[in-house]
Amino acid sequence: MSYKETLFFVAKCLTISLEDKNFLIVKDKIVKGSVDWDAIVKVSTAHFVFPALYCNLKRKELLQFLPEDLVAYMKHIITLNNERNLQIIQQAKQLDFLLKENNIHPVFLKGTAFLLQGFYEEISERMVGDIDFIVSPEVYEDTIQILKKNGYTNKDHLLNTVKIGNHYPRLVHENKIAAVEIHFRILKPPYDKSFTYETVKNNISKTAENSYVLNYDHQVLHTIFNKQASDYGYWYKTISLRNNYDLFLLSKKTNTLQAIKKYNRHFTILNTFLASSSYIFNHISSIHFVNNKKAATFIKHQIKFLDFPKKMNANKKIWNFYFENKSRLRKLKLAFVNKNMRKHLLHLIFKR
């Protein structure tokens, strides 16, 4: 199996619990013994969907057709991820309680939010790194100090007081499993202008245990923006199955096209991800999008880069150069008005 064939097969596997046509395709290929499982493990692991792959195969009773040693390995990874996610949920609930005691109401984001709201059929299905949440700008500094008083630390840095990116430098606790990122904005500039704490605060959803998370429409937006804008996926034309899988599940909860329609300024960035996700998952009907020329061109480039990895790497290098220099210019401008940024840049210059 080529990389492209493997990627699209993994993608289909992720949908088989909810999409009968893909289940039939996947089952036929597995039963015939025409699957390169080494390639499947490699690709699904690289895309952080190995646990989700296992969960879908188990739910549809396809594990019996897999090599025994592979199933044993899958079960081992699932057990580890389940234990980790249970600890992350516990840690997030402790943070929620701690902050609410101080009249601060965090809104959990990304993977942690999905775990707290029981979004996945199984806790072990999602791989989660950090605990992300955003708070009101008025209590942002207080939130940092509360966590630090309760054992969370980060390395002292000149830029701790400078708002670069979209969150405070990662905080860790020696007795906790996950690092914590306190967001002062949901997205990096310039996408933060139209999708902010102020625009989402009146439509927050509550979990069964009264933790706050974004509503489904806003989770659609956040999922897409994270890949397309924050990770430069719109320019790199790369695929991230974890983001695509989250979007697929969200499409079963809300109308994806309606979720992005308010954001005309960034409509192409958002719509191309919807179109790409539908294509990757074998034209899923629940993922609504506008099938226009820009969407078709975006997908065409993604496929080309899968067929010619060297072209994809060259494209990434070009855009990396652009974005890195854009970031340097932004920091240089900030240095004119921020003392700590000036010190940071001088430190970098003389360190070399």
Side-chain angles (χ1 to χ4, degrees):
M1 296 173 72
S2 68
Y3 177 80
K4 184 172 76 171
E5 290 171 333
T6 305
L7 181 76
F8 285 124
F9 181 76
V10 171
K12 289 185 182 73
C13 288
L14 296 175
T15 70
I16 59 176
S17 296
L18 300 171
E19 297 290 330
D20 289 340
K21 67 173 182 178
N22 283 347
F23 168 67
L24 294 175
I25 294 170
V26 167
K27 183 179 180 180
D28 181 66
K29 195 170 182 67
I30 290 176
V31 171
K32 286 180 178 177
S34 57
V35 177
D36 181 349
W37 289 109
D38 287 338
I40 297 297
V41 171
K42 184 177 180 180
V43 171
S44 61
T45 300
H47 283 259
F48 303 104
V49 293
F50 186 66
L53 172 71
Y54 169 84
C55 290
N56 276 278
L57 293 174
K58 183 187 72 172
R59 286 195 286 266
K60 301 302 286 186
E61 299 181 351
L62 293 177
L63 294 179
Q64 60 182 307
F65 302 109
L66 275 60
E68 289 185 7
D69 58 340
L70 173 58
V71 175
Y73 174 69
M74 284 177 152
K75 288 180 178 178
H76 173 66
I77 297 300
I78 282 293
T79 299
L80 293 177
N81 199 49
N82 189 70
E83 291 173 355
R84 174 179 170 81
N85 284 352
L86 286 172
Q87 291 182 62
I88 289 175
I89 291 171
Q90 181 183 29
Q91 184 182 350
K93 288 180 179 178
Q94 290 170 347
L95 287 166
D96 196 32
F97 180 79
L98 172 65
L99 293 174
K100 283 178 178 174
E101 275 193 320
N102 290 272
N103 202 32
I104 296 172
H105 300 274
V107 180
F108 290 93
L109 306 170
K110 302 195 285 189
T112 304
F114 289 139
L115 291 181
L116 288 172
Q117 68 194 100
F119 185 69
Y120 304 98
E121 195 166 326
E122 300 176 57
I123 290 174
S124 56
E125 200 163 331
R126 179 60 145 80
M127 297 188 75
V128 177
D130 304 325
I131 294 175
D132 294 81
F133 62 81
I134 189 168
V135 294
S136 167
E138 291 79 13
V139 297
Y140 171 71
E141 299 293 342
D142 292 338
T143 303
I144 295 167
Q145 295 310 313
I146 290 169
L147 263 64
K148 286 186 174 182
K149 287 177 182 177
N150 282 271
Y152 284 88
T153 62
N154 70 326
K155 293 181 179 179
D156 288 332
H157 196 285
L158 287 168
L159 297 186
N160 279 357
T161 58
V162 183
K163 289 185 175 180
I164 294 178
N166 58 352
H167 60 77
Y168 188 76
R170 297 165 84 238
L171 290 160
V172 297
H173 193 294
E174 61 179 359
N175 297 321
K176 305 295 181 184
I177 195 166
V180 176
E181 294 184 346
I182 305 170
H183 287 244
F184 51 86
R185 53 186 162 220
I186 300 176
L187 300 170
K188 296 177 183 178
Y191 307 97
D192 61 318
K193 304 299 182 186
S194 53
F195 190 44
T196 67
Y197 179 84
E198 293 300 317
T199 63
V200 304
K201 68 178 183 179
N202 293 325
N203 293 290
I204 296 298
S205 294
K206 276 188 180 182
T207 68
E209 297 190 29
N210 292 320
S211 295
Y212 293 120
V213 298
L214 300 178
N215 66 27
Y216 288 136
D217 281 2
H218 289 150
Q219 285 179 329
V220 167
L221 290 165
H222 199 203
T223 297
I224 301 176
F225 272 127
N226 272 333
K227 173 57 182 174
Q228 293 288 79
S230 298
D231 295 339
Y232 308 124
Y234 178 71
W235 295 271
Y236 292 165
K237 307 296 188 293
T238 49
I239 294 169
S240 173
L241 288 181
R242 181 168 64 172
N243 296 81
N244 294 124
Y245 185 53
D246 287 343
L247 189 280
F248 165 67
L249 294 179
L250 283 166
S251 76
K252 304 300 182 180
K253 307 287 187 181
T254 190
N255 185 304
T256 54
L257 182 57
Q258 292 301 318
I260 72 169
K261 273 190 171 180
K262 299 176 186 176
Y263 296 83
N264 289 330
R265 183 180 177 187
H266 306 301
F267 183 81
T268 297
I269 288 176
L270 297 165
N271 186 64
T272 49
F273 185 85
L274 295 178
S276 171
S277 296
S278 177
Y279 182 87
I280 290 164
F281 290 131
N282 193 24
H283 307 290
I284 297 296
S285 60
S286 62
I287 301 178
H288 301 283
F289 64 96
V290 175
N291 188 15
N292 56 23
K293 185 176 180 180
K294 289 181 178 178
T297 301
F298 182 83
I299 294 169
K300 181 180 178 181
H301 280 108
Q302 283 188 315
I303 301 306
K304 181 181 76 174
F305 288 152
L306 288 176
D307 288 326
F308 301 100
K310 288 184 178 179
K311 290 185 178 181
M312 179 178 69
N313 291 333
N315 180 65
K316 286 184 71 173
K317 285 181 180 179
I318 292 169
W319 283 111
N320 271 335
F321 178 80
Y322 170 78
F323 287 118
E324 284 174 4
N325 282 284
K326 187 177 181 180
S327 176
R328 291 190 184 105
L329 181 60
R330 186 163 56 245
K331 289 178 180 179
L332 187 60
K333 288 180 178 178
L334 186 57
F336 284 103
V337 295
N338 188 282
K339 182 179 178 181
N340 282 343
M341 179 57 81
R342 287 197 297 273
K343 287 182 178 179
H344 171 66
L345 293 180
L346 288 172
H347 173 73
L348 290 178
I349 292 170
F350 288 110
K351 187 178 179 181
R352 291 180 179 177

